[in-house]
Amino acid sequence: MDTLKFKLVIAYDGTKYEGWQMQKTGVGVQQKVEEALASIFPSRPQVYSSSRTDTGVHALGMVAHVEIPRAEFKMLPRRLVLALNAWLPEDIRVLSATPCRAGFHARFDAVGKQYRYFVWNQTAMNPLLRHQAWHVPGKLNLAAMRSAAKLFPGKHDFKSFAASRRYEMESTVRTLTRCELTRNGPRLTFLIEGDGFLYRMCRGIVGTLVQVGKGKFAADGIKRMFACRDRRAAGMSAPAQGLVLWKVFYKKAQSEKNSKPKAQSSKLERNFKGQTPSDDSPAARRRLETLRSRR
């Protein structure tokens, strides 16, 4: 089947969802995105993501890919974002949809990810951030937390910081390139970047660092935790609501350099010239309003 492949960048507030993945019970973000696609394309295309997020975890830069039969694609490529968002709930948004090479895979082509975790360190919680940050009211030793954070970058066995799965992992070794802590007033931001992450690994790292800040662990105790390879040796898991999948990194293929994706998008739009009205035409606006009214 002749198809068009698109790379999607998706943002969502994960508060109401059972994570990204389709669920037997509860609703995942993936389900909502695929329902939006099914409302536009009869073949009901599936999306394939770069990663999974847990219940209550958010994303600003989730990447996914989708293949749409060329015969069904009756719009300008740049209209796909508007069309999808017209069918999505307000807590999920497609930020971009760009044509990509046929061999692109959102998961297997990813070379790294960046997560950010937010803590509100003040006596009273900011009610506007109650679903986007972990409330830690007590005083924290930031110097000790930063000293401990410096021990995480590099290649390590992170078994002590990850929750167990129902199956045995082939390897629990991962490489972090960044683990940093910044403060802006009462808000603490943990930036964690690496080539891959174990189940709840980021939350285990942040929970441990916060407990270092509270004096429960010494900063140099991180080395012992790595050596133990036992979840009980490290600190608590931070709650889900403070975690955001910030971005996913890809190595640009040589064939994609020199703005080839932009050229491919322009070529696709030329193919549809004359079949659809321009983005700013009254007919295009009426069609978008029709899509919204069907929700």
Side-chain angles (χ1 to χ4, degrees):
M1 181 186 295
D2 189 13
T3 61
L4 301 171
K5 181 176 278 192
F6 289 88
K7 174 185 175 183
L8 309 178
V9 178
I10 304 168
Y12 51 87
D13 178 340
T15 304
K16 298 179 181 179
Y17 300 100
E18 302 294 320
W20 161 265
Q21 196 173 18
M22 296 278 284
Q23 302 291 328
K24 293 181 179 179
T25 59
V27 178
V29 176
Q30 180 185 5
Q31 177 182 330
K32 290 296 185 180
V33 176
E34 291 188 354
E35 287 175 354
L37 285 162
S39 298
I40 304 168
F41 305 108
S43 61
R44 305 179 68 88
Q46 289 184 299
V47 290
Y48 299 88
S49 67
S50 55
S51 57
R52 304 171 183 175
T53 54
D54 296 330
T55 301
V57 174
H58 316 294
L60 191 64
M62 171 67 82
V63 176
H65 74 261
V66 61
E67 291 189 69
I68 302 169
R70 187 181 293 270
E72 294 180 4
F73 201 87
K74 303 296 185 182
M75 67 181 78
L76 292 170
R78 65 176 180 267
R79 299 282 296 175
L80 183 55
V81 169
L82 291 173
L84 286 171
N85 287 335
W87 288 97
L88 285 167
E90 291 182 343
D91 52 6
I92 303 173
R93 280 292 174 265
V94 175
L95 303 182
S96 66
T98 54
C100 58
R101 58 186 172 83
F104 173 76
H105 196 288
R107 177 184 174 190
F108 300 124
D109 286 354
V111 296
K113 298 167 189 172
Q114 182 186 119
Y115 285 89
R116 296 192 187 190
Y117 193 100
F118 299 99
V119 167
W120 192 259
N121 184 218
Q122 197 173 48
T123 303
M125 179 60 186
N126 182 338
L128 302 182
L129 300 177
R130 67 191 186 280
H131 298 307
Q132 284 81 36
W134 176 22
H135 182 213
V136 179
K139 185 176 181 180
L140 295 173
N141 184 338
L142 293 186
M145 294 169 71
R146 289 185 174 119
S147 294
K150 291 178 182 178
L151 299 175
F152 283 99
K155 188 175 182 179
H156 304 287
D157 189 328
F158 284 91
K159 187 173 183 178
S160 293
F161 299 93
S164 59
R165 288 282 197 180
R166 295 177 182 176
Y167 53 88
E168 188 69 24
M169 293 289 295
E170 183 176 339
S171 173
T172 51
V173 174
R174 297 291 186 271
T175 300
L176 291 190
T177 53
R178 299 174 72 181
C179 184
E180 301 166 3
L181 168 61
T182 58
R183 179 167 197 139
N184 184 4
R187 187 176 73 173
L188 307 182
T189 302
F190 297 80
L191 188 156
I192 304 174
E193 192 173 291
D195 63 356
F197 293 85
L198 303 172
Y199 183 47
R200 296 187 179 180
M201 175 176 146
C202 282
R203 292 164 59 185
I205 291 172
V206 172
T208 300
L209 289 176
V210 167
Q211 290 187 301
V212 168
K214 290 182 174 182
K216 184 170 183 178
F217 302 112
D220 61 3
I222 303 300
K223 297 176 183 178
R224 178 188 59 81
M225 295 175 192
F226 278 129
C228 285
R229 299 185 71 250
D230 188 328
R231 183 69 188 91
R232 294 168 294 183
M236 65 179 290
S237 288
Q241 77 267 18
L243 186 61
V244 182
L245 173 58
W246 202 258
K247 65 175 70 173
V248 181
F249 300 103
Y250 294 89
K251 183 178 180 180
K252 183 175 286 189
Q254 186 67 35
S255 60
E256 291 184 323
K257 293 182 179 180
N258 301 319
S259 302
K260 184 174 180 180
K262 184 177 180 180
Q264 184 177 357
S265 178
S266 299
K267 181 179 179 181
L268 282 170
E269 294 200 2
R270 286 197 301 271
N271 290 341
F272 291 103
K273 190 175 182 180
Q275 298 182 28
T276 54
S278 66
D279 283 2
D280 299 322
S281 70
R285 290 195 294 270
R286 285 196 299 272
R287 183 163 55 191
L288 181 58
E289 290 303 320
T290 299
L291 279 173
R292 286 173 175 162
S293 67
R294 291 176 183 170
R295 293 177 60 183

